[in-house]
Amino acid sequence: MVVSFRVALLALLFAPCVRADEAQDATIFETIQRIDGFDLSQASDKIKGAVNRVLKAKLGEPDYFEAVRRFQVTDQSPELLALAVEKGGSAEGAEAAKLLLDFGQDAMLKEALADKDEPTVAALMASLVASNHAKGVALVVPFVTDEAAGAATHRAAVTALGFGREGEQSLLELAKSKKLPEALHVAASAVFLKSSDPTLREEAAKVIAMPTAAGSAPLPPVAELAKRNGDAANGKTVFQRICFTCHQVGDIGINFGPALSEIGSKLPKDALFTAILDPSAGISFGFEGYEMKLKDGTTLVGFISSETADEVAVSVPGGIVLRHPPGDILERKKLPVSLMPQGLQAGMTEEELVDLVEFLAGLRKPE
Ligand code: HEC
């Protein structure tokens, strides 16, 4: 097989008067992808030019990341940095940050983190943590207490650490060793509240005050709540505050738990309340959580999105899919509880909970 592709490639290279049009570029791109061990750095300018044009057209698509990784296109670093910022904390942003870390672009990342624009820095930090790369988390952690940075940056760093398990773990370590300033405890509690790892939530509750139900009075029974009408527009803002890190509605939110774009057609109000107040009461098929110990000493918590003889794909919070050969996984344990955290209602008032369900109930299949 490989030989015939090589022949095809040679034919292309020596074809007289080839035009550098899109079809031609695409053919070159496809051909080199099929050649085992193809070394782009040794290729002709013509091939490099074609690859660059194709990458430009595919910027941010799965093919793009795959090709940049495979051919080690370090020239794409500025584009990767822009993606890590623009798609802060999403699967694409994480992939871009991971490549930059793998390429050893630490200096470039440090310079970008010193940018004066807060939202830029916050987005980049989220992507670095979401990459689940130990170096990414290590770049963000110092900003939690950096005296040269302002309060907004401290808070952004804490929030960013909530974008990956390694990040949450580091934040917990800071809190345990009393290095987390008091002023950041509220931001940190929001991170732990949303964490899909029950052990981590328990540990966190021992060292920082987790918020109790904003109204603190016990909630009425679900049957009663389900009879009330709320303000859907306000419910949407509650969703964007607490639920979007794991669920998509239309084009807002991160794709980790099931998409909720049509949840109102699937679940009546009482079931929606139960889904929020007691996530483990019914775990959606295909979203059962696992804890996996890997050969490299790390632990993953997520659900298995696909599994074949040579690859296990694990979806982890943040909407990222980590792929490992089955041999990398030393141990897997099915979690008895949902990956959706229990107790999210603690971050909202009773009224806001009713508004949130009103919003969800209105998300319906187009008639
Ligand atoms: C840390 C991630 C996470 C957060 C935060 C989260 N969820 Fe979930 N959610 C999940 C996962 C994973 C599932 C699937 C497992 C299950 O059914 O328990 C799920 C399931 C659900 C379901 C059932 C979906 C179905 O198709 O049956 C609803 C409804 C839901 N979540 C609503 C919410 C709402 C509302 C919020 C915000 C208050 C929220 N979730 C916050 C991860 C999360």
Side-chain angles (χ1 to χ4, degrees):
M1 273 307 256
V2 171
V3 172
S4 67
F5 289 123
R6 262 185 222 285
V7 172
L9 182 66
L10 289 176
L12 271 174
L13 297 184
F14 295 110
C17 316
V18 276
R19 281 182 309 128
D21 63 8
E22 267 174 49
Q24 171 94 49
D25 287 350
T27 312
I28 295 182
F29 187 72
E30 274 168 33
T31 307
I32 64 168
Q33 277 187 310
R34 290 177 187 158
I35 300 175
D36 280 339
F38 182 83
D39 183 353
L40 186 65
S41 66
Q42 301 294 318
S44 68
D45 287 346
K46 186 167 120 62
I47 296 193
K48 284 182 185 158
V51 170
N52 279 332
R53 284 187 294 274
V54 173
L55 289 178
K56 199 167 168 189
K58 289 182 183 281
L59 191 74
E61 293 173 18
D63 274 8
Y64 168 84
F65 294 114
E66 204 183 305
V68 172
R69 174 171 303 283
R70 168 124 189 244
F71 301 125
Q72 298 283 298
V73 195
T74 50
D75 289 358
Q76 286 290 315
S77 297
E79 284 79 3
L80 290 169
L81 183 61
L83 280 170
V85 170
E86 196 186 313
K87 311 261 179 187
S90 69
E92 292 90 353
E95 193 70 53
K98 191 158 184 244
L99 279 161
L100 286 168
L101 292 162
D102 285 340
F103 289 165
Q105 299 286 20
D106 301 37
M108 180 190 237
L109 288 165
K110 279 187 186 150
E111 192 185 318
L113 287 169
D115 197 290
K116 288 281 165 285
D117 185 53
E118 300 281 0
T120 299
V121 174
L124 179 56
M125 290 197 290
S127 292
L128 283 167
V129 175
S131 75
N132 259 315
H133 197 299
K135 273 196 329 184
V137 175
L139 282 172
V140 174
V141 167
F143 285 93
V144 174
T145 49
D146 181 15
E147 280 173 20
T153 304
H154 295 158
R155 227 182 335 261
V158 168
T159 305
L161 289 174
F163 277 82
R165 196 189 143 87
E166 300 284 326
E168 288 174 348
Q169 204 71 47
S170 303
L171 187 61
L172 180 61
E173 292 310 320
L174 283 175
K176 275 184 168 170
S177 58
K178 309 243 183 299
K179 287 188 195 124
L180 188 70
E182 201 70 34
L184 293 172
H185 279 206
V186 174
S189 68
V191 167
F192 295 124
L193 193 66
K194 283 198 299 247
S195 166
S196 54
D197 180 346
T199 327
L200 199 108
R201 288 200 301 275
E202 257 170 53
E203 291 280 299
K206 288 182 201 154
V207 281
I208 60 173
M210 301 288 271
T212 45
S216 88
L219 289 169
V222 164
E224 209 163 292
L225 285 169
K227 284 190 205 134
R228 299 198 358 213
N229 292 317
D231 172 357
N234 191 40
K236 185 173 177 181
T237 65
V238 178
F239 178 84
Q240 280 167 309
R241 198 174 78 215
I242 302 178
C243 319
F244 83 101
T245 48
C246 292
H247 290 287
Q248 255 176 348
V249 165
D251 53 9
I252 55 171
I254 292 174
N255 183 13
F256 171 63
L260 300 181
S261 306
E262 297 176 352
I263 195 67
S265 304
K266 181 181 169 190
L267 300 179
K269 272 189 179 176
D270 55 350
L272 286 169
F273 278 107
T274 306
I276 299 167
L277 299 174
D278 190 6
S280 302
I283 298 177
S284 311
F285 180 73
F287 290 89
E288 296 88 357
Y290 284 88
E291 184 177 290
M292 298 184 193
K293 291 214 167 28
L294 301 188
K295 241 190 199 157
D296 66 6
T298 54
T299 305
L300 297 180
V301 175
F303 62 85
I304 298 170
S305 45
S306 76
E307 182 162 13
T308 64
D310 21 65
E311 187 183 85
V312 182
V314 186
S315 287
V316 297
I320 297 150
V321 180
L322 301 171
R323 298 167 197 282
H324 289 278
D328 275 6
I329 300 168
L330 299 182
E331 197 187 309
R332 61 168 93 174
K333 199 171 79 192
K334 193 168 175 179
L335 295 173
V337 291
S338 173
L339 287 168
M340 175 163 157
Q342 169 119 41
L344 286 173
Q345 73 276 13
M348 56 189 111
T349 63
E350 185 180 320
E351 205 43 61
E352 284 177 328
L353 174 63
V354 172
D355 293 347
L356 175 61
V357 167
E358 191 70 50
F359 166 65
L360 295 172
L363 300 171
R364 299 183 157 269
K365 274 200 191 103
E367 299 289 316

